[in-house]
Amino acid sequence: MKATDVIIRELTPEEIRSRMPFAHFGWEGTGAFSFSTISDGYWNGAKVIFENMKENANNFAIVDSLVYPLFFNYRHSVETYLKLLYFKFGEQTDQARKDYLEKGHNLQSLWAILRPYLNKGKKHVGCSIDFNVIEHYINALNKFDSESMVMRYPIEKDLTSNKLSQYHFDYINFANRMDELCYALRRIDDELSNQMNGTASLEELNQYIEMFEKYLPQINEFIELLKIDIAKEPKPFKASDFLGNLKSYVAPKYLQFLNDCDGDLLILLDNLFYAGRSVREEIVRLSQSMVGKQREFVKLCNILLSQDGLKFGIAPNDSQINIFGKTSSSLLENISTAISILTLSE
């Protein structure tokens, strides 16, 4: 060690280009995502520490010292993920976010403010995670260390111990439970994300349903053609037969159907495919209620039509219709999803 040593150093552009190892941070912004890599980092750090503790379970000098960063890493991962969830699903104003951060490190307080917003999302689109269980975990963690100080320091500012007693701490159980909690918080994030904001007006709903019902017999015919194509047994490929097969190739009937479609039916099928795929792949999550789901789905359909520059009554350009290259199984799955939503009834 020397007084001239550089402690905090950034790589030069030349060193970066030469692939010299470095850690990259400060690019994450100030939104919900900015908490993600920090929370994941502390969780991953806790896992590394936990593995070390298990490998040295009989070495008390190691285990009794690593329990402190183990606890803090897990706790801080939970705290930062609660803040991520608030930034994502809570009140979307700078002042509300500042007020939330002012709550500090008390997990119970952070959860109490956050939960009503998560409840609203769960009521809207559903969630597999039991929030009462999450609350139980958070309350237990907070009871042991309410301000994230117990496992960072040995004493209070008045020089008294911040430990209520000696502990024979089951760190294996703790790590397993914390992994469950960290995973569950991320499941909440995933399952409540991409909610459809807004619904189609009653007029928009009726107009779209009218167009859908007008072409429903042809749509059902198209669905049957897709099923027929899927049911065909694929023939083993033989290179010697390739040219002959190419010359005798006849387009599947469902492709012929698309070529013969009028403009509005072609627009409708293309729209149903992409809207249905958005729902199937959970790019968009819809309301659990039947009426809400339909109106949100029609809203999605209209958004996609607008993005593609499509409008019923106006013939589409070739570049605006993109379902010709899709497989019959993909068309069937996604259009069927759309149909199932548009034919819902109370």
Side-chain angles (χ1 to χ4, degrees):
M1 295 175 66
K2 301 187 298 292
T4 56
D5 286 346
V6 176
I7 312 304
I8 308 297
R9 191 182 82 86
E10 289 199 60
L11 266 60
T12 65
E14 292 75 18
E15 288 172 330
I16 293 173
R17 285 194 291 271
S18 70
R19 299 185 182 277
M20 185 174 175
F22 65 92
H24 189 200
F25 56 88
W27 55 271
E28 303 90 345
T30 59
F33 177 76
S34 63
F35 291 94
S36 178
T37 52
I38 290 176
S39 182
D40 288 349
Y42 277 97
W43 186 15
N44 288 329
K47 293 176 184 177
V48 171
I49 294 169
F50 181 46
E51 289 303 315
N52 196 330
M53 293 173 76
K54 287 193 295 182
E55 291 171 5
N56 295 279
N58 296 319
N59 188 330
F60 299 131
I62 292 177
V63 172
D64 291 356
S65 59
L66 287 183
V67 70
Y68 295 106
L70 176 80
F71 186 97
F72 176 76
N73 276 28
Y74 273 123
R75 191 192 188 286
H76 198 60
S77 179
V78 171
E79 178 186 325
T80 48
Y81 217 87
L82 292 178
K83 290 172 179 176
L84 178 153
L85 292 173
Y86 184 84
F87 271 49
K88 194 167 185 178
F89 301 109
E91 188 176 337
Q92 299 297 298
T93 66
D94 286 348
Q95 189 58 53
R97 288 178 169 182
K98 289 176 183 177
D99 292 343
Y100 191 71
L101 295 179
E102 285 293 327
K103 297 299 177 183
H105 305 295
N106 190 292
L107 301 179
Q108 203 165 336
S109 297
L110 294 171
W111 173 252
I113 297 169
L114 171 65
R115 181 168 179 173
Y117 295 99
L118 300 183
N119 285 341
K120 182 179 178 181
K122 185 172 185 176
K123 183 178 180 181
H124 182 207
V125 297
C127 183
S128 63
I129 302 299
D130 187 335
F131 292 174
N132 290 328
V133 175
I134 298 293
E135 189 159 313
H136 166 70
Y137 275 54
I138 286 175
N139 288 347
L141 196 54
N142 202 70
K143 183 178 179 181
F144 182 81
D145 185 5
S146 63
E147 296 298 334
S148 191
M149 301 295 283
V150 171
M151 300 301 274
R152 282 202 288 164
Y153 298 98
I155 58 175
E156 303 287 355
K157 291 181 180 179
D158 63 3
L159 305 185
T160 60
S161 174
N162 62 11
K163 311 294 187 295
L164 298 178
S165 64
Q166 295 185 31
Y167 293 90
H168 295 85
F169 188 69
D170 186 346
Y171 64 87
I172 295 177
N173 173 73
F174 174 75
N176 290 335
R177 300 292 77 76
M178 288 301 99
D179 283 338
E180 292 170 352
L181 177 58
C182 290
Y183 173 77
L185 293 176
R186 285 156 177 78
R187 285 303 309 161
I188 292 171
D189 183 13
D190 180 63
E191 293 182 21
L192 297 188
S193 291
N194 304 325
Q195 296 180 49
M196 187 66 195
N197 293 319
T199 61
S201 67
L202 186 58
E203 181 182 3
E204 290 171 332
L205 176 66
N206 289 336
Q207 286 176 347
Y208 197 92
I209 293 294
E210 183 180 345
M211 180 64 69
F212 171 70
E213 291 179 344
K214 174 184 175 181
Y215 285 105
L216 187 55
Q218 291 96 316
I219 294 172
N220 287 333
E221 180 185 349
F222 183 62
I223 292 295
E224 291 306 312
L225 292 175
L226 294 173
K227 291 179 180 177
I228 290 170
D229 189 71
I230 292 170
K232 289 179 181 177
E233 288 290 333
K235 296 179 181 179
F237 176 78
K238 292 183 180 179
S240 58
D241 296 337
F242 178 73
L243 289 177
N245 291 338
L246 191 62
K247 291 177 181 178
S248 62
Y249 172 76
V250 177
K253 289 185 177 180
Y254 76 88
L255 287 179
Q256 296 177 29
F257 181 95
L258 290 176
N259 284 319
D260 295 337
C261 279
D262 68 42
D264 280 353
L265 178 54
L266 198 57
I267 289 172
L268 184 59
L269 288 171
D270 189 86
N271 190 228
L272 293 176
F273 171 80
Y274 283 102
R277 188 175 73 173
S278 294
V279 174
R280 281 191 68 253
E281 296 180 357
E282 298 184 337
I283 298 169
V284 172
R285 286 186 167 87
L286 303 178
S287 171
Q288 295 185 100
S289 77
M290 287 188 287
V291 173
K293 179 175 287 189
Q294 266 192 350
R295 293 182 71 158
E296 288 179 358
F297 185 73
V298 170
K299 178 76 171 181
L300 170 63
C301 290
N302 286 335
I303 289 172
L304 294 177
L305 286 173
S306 178
Q307 288 176 348
D308 293 335
L310 293 168
K311 189 174 183 179
F312 294 119
I314 300 176
N317 299 321
D318 291 343
S319 62
Q320 293 175 299
I321 302 298
N322 298 296
I323 56 172
F324 283 94
K326 307 304 179 186
T327 64
S328 52
S329 58
S330 178
L331 288 166
L332 179 63
E333 288 173 343
N334 294 311
I335 294 176
S336 295
T337 296
I339 293 171
S340 70
I341 296 170
L342 292 172
T343 54
L344 287 171
S345 60
E346 291 289 353

